[in-house]
Amino acid sequence: MEKLLHKSETILGNFAVTILNKPFTCPDGIIHSNTAQVDFFDIRGKKINVVEYGYQTREELFKLIDSQNLNLNYCYVNNFSLSEYRKISHLSANEPVPFLTFSAKNSFFDCDHTTDFSFAVFQASKISFESAIFGDG
């Protein structure tokens, strides 16, 4: 089953995201049950590049946040929001959210409004957003 998740016009250019019901294996060996295909288009609408990422549902992402060990390498992350996480988890609006480890190498963060890392506490000595893309927020 394919689902168009997001279509956007940004500084990145035009792009469309489709969630594919096929596994995605990251170079570091982590397997995601779904794949996010991001199609990039030039100003005339011609497809110029296709990139695939691992994709996790909101519930899967929240479980990773619960574990305090977040590896989002090579993932498409849609509407990341620690405010929403706190609301779903019945935490106060300004409760710190700790991360013992955090890595988002070669990831694509996309959103409708804003990517929200509010009150995140990165406890690891090294965090990485190396080569990460931030789309609409």
Side-chain angles (χ1 to χ4, degrees), residues 5 9 24 70 77 82 85 95 134 136:
L5 186 64
E9 296 180 19
F24 178 85
L70 204 53
V77 183
L82 290 182
Y85 168 78
E95 178 81 22
F134 286 83
D136 286 340

Side-chain angles (χ1 to χ4, degrees), residues 3-35:
K3 174 175 81 169
L4 181 64
L5 186 64
H6 195 189
K7 186 172 181 180
S8 180
E9 296 180 19
T10 68
I11 295 172
L12 292 171
N14 299 333
F15 64 91
V17 180
T18 305
I19 304 304
L20 307 174
N21 188 19
K22 72 173 191 175
F24 178 85
T25 303
C26 297
D28 54 11
I30 295 175
I31 299 172
H32 301 280
S33 56
N34 292 301
T35 299

Side-chain angles (χ1 to χ4, degrees), residues 16-110:
V17 180
T18 305
I19 304 304
L20 307 174
N21 188 19
K22 72 173 191 175
F24 178 85
T25 303
C26 297
D28 54 11
I30 295 175
I31 299 172
H32 301 280
S33 56
N34 292 301
T35 299
Q37 178 179 301
V38 182
D39 298 318
F40 294 93
F41 303 92
D42 66 15
I43 59 174
R44 294 179 305 268
K46 179 182 174 190
K47 189 183 295 188
I48 56 174
N49 197 12
V50 177
V51 180
E52 290 187 339
Y53 298 91
Y55 177 75
Q56 299 170 340
T57 65
R58 183 174 85 157
E59 293 76 20
E60 292 169 325
L61 184 59
F62 284 176
K63 283 181 186 176
L64 283 176
I65 294 171
D66 283 340
S67 77
Q68 298 184 3
N69 294 295
L70 204 53
N71 181 337
L72 299 174
N73 294 343
Y74 305 94
C75 286
Y76 171 82
V77 183
N78 190 42
N79 292 320
F80 185 92
S81 173
L82 290 182
S83 295
E84 183 66 22
Y85 168 78
R86 283 190 291 277
K87 188 182 299 181
I88 297 294
S89 301
H90 307 290
L91 302 172
S92 69
N94 58 358
E95 178 81 22
V97 178
F99 294 104
L100 299 175
T101 62
F102 184 92
S103 185
K105 295 177 185 175
N106 298 293
S107 294
F108 190 118
F109 288 87
D110 192 17

Side-chain angles (χ1 to χ4, degrees), residues 121-136:
V121 178
F122 297 104
Q123 298 174 339
S125 59
K126 181 178 178 186
I127 64 169
S128 179
F129 288 95
E130 177 185 334
S131 299
I133 297 170
F134 286 83
D136 286 340

